[in-house]
Amino acid sequence: MLPWVSAVPSRNHRGPSPPSFQLPQPVPKRPIGGERPGWTRRFCYAFVRRLSGLAGKKRVCTVDDIPQSRIPKQPGFSPPLNLRTKYDGDIVLRFNVSTADEAKALAEAASVLFLDIWGSNNDWVDIRLAKDVVPPLLGLLPSSLQRSHTPLIYDLTQAVSRSYQSSSPSDQSPQVTRGSHVFTHDLHTSTDTTENPFFSNYQPMSVIIPWMKLLAALFPTHVRIFSIGQTFEGRDIPAFRLGVRPAEDRQEPRQPRKTVLISGGSHAREWISVSTVNYIANSLITSYGKSDLITKLLDKFDWVIIPTLNVDGYVYTWENDRLWRKNRQDTTLRFCHGIDLDRSFGFQWDGSSRGNPCSESFSGEYAFQAVESRRLAEWAKNEKDNNNIDFVGFLDFHSYSQQILYPYSYSCGNLPPSLENLEELAMGLAKAIRISTGEPYSITSACEGTITMESGQRLVHPRMETGGGSALDWFYQELGVRYAYQIKLRDTGSYGFLLPEENILPTGEEALHAIEYFGKFLESGMPFPVNELSTEDQPEEASTDQVPAKMGPVEVNANGVKDLGNTEEDANWELRRRRRR
């Protein structure tokens, strides 16, 4: 078992000093991952058998080899008993916003009624609310908006129940595959769920942490796990560090090690972000030495990968409330727990929601009050100041809406100094995704909300939820990470946060292609043909589809999806338009 390394608080923390605050004493530290259920031990055993004897004789295991009495059943990740009382009567509505007055009225009504804003895009906003709150909400809206809404999820209780059921291990043993397919000791990258049982459904922390330890034990040459610190409730925040440093780089003096930080699960209910970050980690780990590109990227950079920053909240979504968003920290109100981790960072922290701890976007009483946000910032500052680390990329995975967002989040009034570079790389990421799976991802500033047309002019409205204190802005501005993005994964609203398990692998695949492009861009410092990413997983049409040196425009079509063009003139027009905002 590898040791866990805790973060060391930075001595050079910038920004206003918060009030005197003593972090709560953590509860007695529990074993990482807790007691491992029997089916998890069998899963790990099967994983070891599959990955261990690479040079030895192949051995095959099928379901027929195991007595039916020895096949474990579902270990109990059924919906919580309070499911119906928690979600009964709740629905999710989509409002189509077309004017500035509508956008303003909807934002004010959501604030007055303390509604849960699920997501938004250029022309729609998704809101979760109780059915009996619909009439009061509509009464606060203009007549045009009262008629421009549609239900996305009409029975939230049933939708949440299905998400738990689909995430329970199947009745078959997890160490064997479905049907007649068999496992062998061959180690190769595959997108077939029968060969990647870990990604056939969502996984709780009690499975994720043993899986992380297993990978670190199987691939010690380029993988280790550590903890960036502890959560409010005393759990470790586990992370991978991937990379191989050449022998000459280990000698002093040496250049700072370029490092890319990938994080998921800041918001607990966004399960797809956790599984996607795990998929990226698994692909980078198991492809090293087999894929020229991945091998080069792990030689050139370190990759720190945090499956979920919000460990307490993620555990809570499995055990109590599937749609919990914040961490589990105490607040000034005994019955309202939690701080939004992505609104607690110190750069342009916005205290407008600090008076309402019950708000889903409660940012705390002061910057960095959220324990997990502080731990991440302290760890990152210490790595940069004391451990010779140069953070060159930050990718924060969220859901949903299929967007690639760049700084700033706190305001549309200020443009990032490296706007052109941020947009250029974002366009390449979106194109890499589109070529891999066909899914369109729009590109925009993280501050942008709905877009309306007034008197022939295009007006961009801020997002309905507060945007200050984001991890995206802090890493870009305070830590100086040149390429920082927030990527919102699938889907565009059909399922919202309750994305079915069938989407885990394709979402992971498209995110991996984006990571490959991201790494290649950092290595070369310029755009390059997308078809250089992979020789195994690219569709046939990708062989002639290239990203030009001057990236194309980003235009909003009738469906609110931004399409990539190819002309230099249009690209320059798009960049000028964004600077004029």
Side-chain angles (χ1 to χ4, degrees):
M1 184 180 300
L2 296 178
W4 293 79
V5 183
S6 297
V8 178
S10 170
R11 295 170 294 180
N12 300 320
H13 173 71
R14 290 178 287 180
S17 299
S20 177
F21 175 69
Q22 198 72 21
L23 282 176
Q25 293 298 320
V27 298
K29 186 174 179 181
R30 67 199 72 193
I32 301 300
E35 283 298 318
R36 189 179 300 176
W39 74 267
T40 311
R41 288 195 297 271
R42 290 188 171 93
F43 173 83
C44 293
Y45 172 70
F47 199 66
V48 170
R49 289 197 58 191
R50 183 180 168 217
L51 297 180
S52 55
L54 298 180
K57 181 180 178 181
K58 295 183 180 180
R59 297 177 62 188
V60 175
C61 174
T62 69
V63 71
D64 296 330
D65 298 327
I66 303 175
Q68 293 298 311
S69 61
R70 299 291 302 277
I71 297 179
K73 303 300 181 182
Q74 295 186 5
F77 284 117
S78 56
L81 297 178
N82 62 349
L83 180 65
R84 182 156 297 278
T85 58
K86 189 176 294 292
Y87 307 113
D88 191 32
D90 282 8
I91 60 175
V92 179
L93 295 182
R94 167 162 294 182
F95 289 86
N96 297 304
V97 180
S98 57
T99 69
D101 290 340
E102 290 180 352
K104 181 180 179 181
L106 186 58
E108 291 177 350
S111 177
V112 168
L113 298 174
F114 303 118
L115 302 181
D116 182 6
I117 300 172
W118 269 30
S120 62
N121 208 322
N122 294 330
D123 56 359
W124 53 257
V125 177
D126 295 345
I127 297 179
R128 169 196 168 191
L129 71 168
K131 292 178 183 177
D132 56 8
V133 178
V134 174
L137 172 61
L138 296 182
L140 296 174
L141 302 178
S143 57
S144 58
L145 203 54
Q146 294 176 8
R147 299 185 299 269
S148 61
H149 65 274
T150 55
L152 288 182
I153 302 177
Y154 199 75
D155 188 343
L156 193 58
T157 301
Q158 184 180 12
V160 170
S161 179
R162 283 198 302 265
S163 75
Y164 280 109
Q165 292 168 358
S166 64
S167 298
S168 299
S170 66
D171 286 340
Q172 287 187 347
S173 170
Q175 76 266 33
V176 297
T177 62
R178 301 180 181 92
S180 59
H181 190 86
V182 296
F183 277 159
T184 73
H185 282 175
D186 287 332
L187 178 61
H188 62 279
T189 303
S190 173
T191 59
D192 185 353
T193 58
T194 61
E195 299 189 16
N196 290 276
F198 185 81
F199 299 104
S200 63
N201 45 46
Y202 296 105
Q203 306 293 351
M205 287 305 297
S206 59
V207 176
I208 291 175
I209 293 177
W211 170 79
M212 293 178 68
K213 292 182 177 180
L214 183 61
L215 286 176
L218 291 173
F219 301 94
T221 58
H222 56 283
V223 182
R224 74 179 183 93
I225 56 174
F226 67 100
S227 171
I228 68 168
Q230 286 193 338
T231 67
F232 174 79
E233 294 183 341
R235 296 180 176 90
D236 281 299
I237 305 172
F240 284 114
R241 186 186 293 274
L242 315 180
V244 178
R245 303 189 182 188
E248 57 270 18
D249 287 352
R250 303 191 190 107
Q251 301 174 359
E252 296 291 347
R254 58 186 175 89
Q255 293 296 320
R257 177 66 169 178
K258 294 181 179 180
T259 300
V260 177
L261 175 61
I262 300 175
S263 177
S266 293
H267 294 145
R269 62 191 178 188
E270 299 170 6
W271 284 7
I272 189 63
S273 71
V274 178
S275 66
T276 298
V277 170
N278 283 334
Y279 185 93
I280 292 169
N282 181 79
S283 300
L284 295 179
I285 291 170
T286 59
S287 296
Y288 182 79
K290 298 190 293 296
S291 163
D292 291 340
L293 174 59
I294 299 301
T295 302
K296 183 182 298 184
L297 293 182
L298 265 64
D299 287 339
K300 183 85 172 183
F301 305 99
D302 274 2
W303 299 77
V304 175
I305 301 177
I306 306 172
T308 175
L309 179 64
N310 189 1
V311 179
D312 293 345
Y314 187 69
V315 171
Y316 192 74
T317 62
W318 282 86
E319 297 178 351
N320 192 287
D321 185 351
R322 172 63 180 86
L323 296 177
W324 186 260
R325 169 184 166 98
K326 302 180 287 184
N327 72 355
R328 293 295 301 161
Q329 193 164 337
D330 292 338
T331 68
T332 54
L333 294 181
R334 294 176 57 188
F335 52 86
C336 288
H337 294 273
I339 300 174
D340 185 346
L341 299 188
D342 201 37
R343 295 293 175 263
S344 184
F345 284 80
F347 180 72
Q348 293 294 331
W349 174 79
D350 183 359
S352 60
S353 66
R354 62 183 176 182
N356 179 21
C358 299
S359 169
E360 292 289 349
S361 57
F362 177 56
S363 57
E365 298 294 330
Y366 51 86
F368 286 121
Q369 184 180 5
V371 173
E372 294 82 359
S373 299
R374 182 187 296 188
R375 293 291 182 251
L376 178 60
E378 289 174 343
W379 169 83
K381 285 282 291 179
N382 181 68
E383 289 290 289
K384 180 180 179 180
D385 295 342
N386 301 319
N387 292 332
N388 206 27
I389 293 298
D390 177 20
F391 288 100
V392 295
F394 173 62
L395 296 169
D396 189 17
F397 284 90
H398 287 256
S399 71
Y400 60 96
S401 68
Q402 297 185 196
Q403 292 180 300
I404 299 175
L405 308 177
Y406 54 81
Y408 291 112
S409 173
Y410 78 94
S411 172
C412 292
N414 295 317
L415 300 178
S418 58
L419 175 62
E420 293 184 35
N421 293 329
L422 288 167
E423 290 185 317
E424 183 178 48
L425 178 51
M427 292 176 189
L429 298 177
K431 193 159 191 177
I433 291 173
R434 192 180 66 186
I435 289 176
S436 66
T437 62
E439 288 294 323
Y441 275 61
S442 60
I443 304 163
T444 186
S445 169
C447 68
E448 290 189 5
T450 55
I451 298 176
T452 62
M453 299 297 295
E454 299 288 337
S455 302
Q457 292 186 339
R458 181 177 181 271
L459 300 179
V460 178
H461 304 281
R463 292 182 180 269
M464 293 180 60
E465 65 272 22
T466 177
S470 70
L472 174 68
D473 288 356
W474 187 86
F475 274 93
Y476 177 77
Q477 187 68 31
E478 293 295 313
L479 209 64
V481 180
R482 185 175 183 182
Y483 294 103
Y485 298 93
Q486 182 181 108
I487 300 180
K488 293 197 172 185
L489 301 164
R490 297 188 184 187
D491 59 3
T492 55
S494 298
Y495 297 97
F497 302 119
L498 306 175
L499 195 67
E501 62 187 17
E502 291 79 11
N503 290 269
I504 294 176
L505 278 174
T507 304
E509 290 168 10
E510 62 197 23
L512 177 62
H513 279 80
I515 292 296
E516 290 176 339
Y517 186 97
F518 188 85
K520 185 69 174 177
F521 185 96
L522 292 180
E523 181 199 17
S524 62
M526 63 184 66
F528 59 94
V530 175
N531 61 327
E532 290 183 8
L533 292 178
S534 173
T535 58
E536 299 176 357
D537 300 327
Q538 287 290 337
E540 293 182 2
E541 65 268 22
S543 61
T544 59
D545 199 353
Q546 296 184 342
V547 178
K550 291 290 185 179
M551 307 297 288
V554 181
E555 296 184 353
V556 180
N557 61 24
N559 296 320
V561 175
K562 296 184 176 180
D563 298 320
L564 299 178
N566 291 306
T567 68
E568 180 176 345
E569 179 181 356
D570 287 343
N572 292 334
W573 174 89
E574 174 64 17
L575 294 177
R576 289 195 300 271
R577 177 194 68 76
R578 291 182 179 272
R579 296 191 193 96
R580 288 197 300 268
R581 284 202 306 260

